[in-house]
Amino acid sequence: MSAPSTETSIAEALAWARKRIQPLEARLLLRHVCRTSAAHLAARPEETLPLAQWEAFQRLIEHRVAGEPIAYLTGEREFYGRAFFVNASVLIPRPETELLIELAVAHFSAVPRPRVLDLGTGSGILAITLALELDHPVITATDISRDALAVATANALRLGVGITFLWSDWYALLKREDRFRLIVANPPYIVEDDPHLAQGDLRFEPRAALASGRDGLRALTAIIAGAGRHLEDGGWLFLEHGYNQAAAVRGLLADAGFADIASWKDMAGIERVSAGRWTG
Ligand code: GLN
């Protein structure tokens, strides 16, 4: 069926799109194009779409049919109850990453003005959410991708938080004397030849935010090795990692001299975050 060309109603547009993509996604994309609510779309099926919106909707559906992630098409994804800008320069926020926030909040919400470092901030979700959830934290966030930092900066403005963003390869551009109470990271950790990288949304995400060497541990190893030089005495390092990496990460933390090492399971029952305390 070719697309109806003129005088297309909301109901016709959705019927056309539903032949190509999932109904829920079709409604989401139409809401995005029309900048309207789900309730409006449901209540006014006979309403005619302006031609520009109908054409924009068709283009989005074509991109979705080609596999592009919904979050990149709408330019947004929710994380910890807040909407963040995303584009193809950053990883799409994942629900399991909320575990890292929950743990950091549980450990640090009673600490006034903690100094916090987020390594490889991407869209900024960890740094910005911690800025909003902790008690007047002082936050630095780094990324090696300037395009990612542009997204993170836009998100910090959108959500009204002040963060020091640094264009830096992990710790490289920090001052030697910079010390933090908490360091967090959701670094790339997928094995470089993992077939999942060629499937689904991952095909469209930045490879540098996903894959990290032949064992997936290159970034995690570098972050753990450098953390001691930038943690306060008693400060913590919290890391997201892959489904089968918890034991390896705990081992790296132990080798680097961390204490009180632990791992926590995500909603799927997978050990997803590990942490250790630096005792100087
Ligand atoms: N959790 C992501 C995935 O498996 C990977 C994110 C990352 O490498 N930090 O798709």
Side-chain angles (χ1 to χ4, degrees):
M1 178 175 105
S2 70
S5 54
T6 50
E7 292 294 298
T8 303
S9 69
I10 286 174
E12 287 165 340
L14 285 173
W16 177 81
R18 275 199 301 269
K19 295 202 169 69
R20 291 160 177 80
I21 68 171
Q22 292 176 16
L24 183 71
E25 295 186 349
R27 285 198 299 276
L28 231 156
L29 292 175
L30 190 58
R31 277 181 60 187
H32 174 67
V33 165
C34 299
R35 310 218 171 272
T36 188
S37 65
H40 178 133
L41 290 187
R44 312 286 294 276
E46 75 295 338
E47 195 172 290
T48 300
L49 286 177
L51 188 59
Q53 289 185 359
W54 168 230
E55 287 175 351
F57 183 58
Q58 291 175 71
R59 278 195 299 276
L60 281 182
I61 301 294
E62 279 164 26
H63 284 279
R64 183 60 188 143
V65 168
E68 278 187 45
I70 285 281
Y72 291 158
L73 296 177
T74 62
E76 271 192 359
R77 178 53 49 95
E78 195 168 295
F79 179 78
Y80 213 77
R82 301 182 182 96
F84 287 81
F85 297 121
V86 294
N87 64 27
S89 303
V90 297
L91 196 74
I92 298 167
R94 313 278 205 269
E96 60 267 28
T97 303
E98 294 184 353
L99 172 63
L100 205 158
I101 297 290
E102 282 162 19
L103 292 166
V105 169
H107 280 71
F108 291 94
S109 60
V111 178
R113 303 190 178 278
R115 288 173 50 81
V116 179
L117 173 65
D118 175 22
L119 295 166
T121 195
S123 60
I125 55 167
L126 289 179
I128 292 164
T129 304
L130 291 175
L132 292 162
E133 298 293 334
L134 298 181
D135 179 9
H136 299 90
V138 179
I139 302 191
T140 301
T142 72
D143 208 290
I144 199 167
S145 158
R146 277 180 286 196
D147 292 337
L149 288 172
V151 176
T153 305
N155 279 318
L157 281 172
R158 174 181 191 162
L159 290 162
V161 299
I163 289 174
T164 302
F165 289 108
L166 287 181
W167 178 43
S168 175
D169 184 5
W170 307 133
Y171 307 94
L173 255 66
L174 293 173
K175 297 198 193 82
R176 276 172 67 124
E177 65 274 18
D178 280 343
R179 291 281 182 286
F180 300 89
R181 182 65 176 264
L182 168 64
I183 299 178
V184 297
N186 173 20
Y189 53 66
I190 297 176
V191 174
E192 138 191 297
D193 57 3
D194 188 319
H196 288 105
L197 293 168
Q199 295 167 18
D201 284 2
L202 276 68
R203 287 171 295 166
F204 294 85
E205 294 183 293
R207 185 58 63 104
L210 289 167
S212 195
R214 288 171 63 178
D215 57 2
L217 290 168
R218 187 191 289 160
L220 286 159
T221 301
I223 288 169
I224 292 168
R229 281 193 295 279
H230 290 289
L231 280 168
E232 297 171 5
D233 198 9
W236 284 83
L237 173 62
F238 277 81
L239 297 166
E240 179 172 322
H241 50 68
Y243 71 97
N244 58 357
Q245 293 172 331
V249 170
R250 289 194 300 267
L252 289 166
L253 287 166
D255 291 347
F258 281 84
D260 299 335
I261 297 164
S263 300
W264 291 267
K265 289 181 179 165
D266 65 16
M267 289 165 307
I270 293 165
E271 285 185 316
R272 180 61 69 185
V273 173
S274 294
R277 192 169 58 88
W278 185 251
T279 50

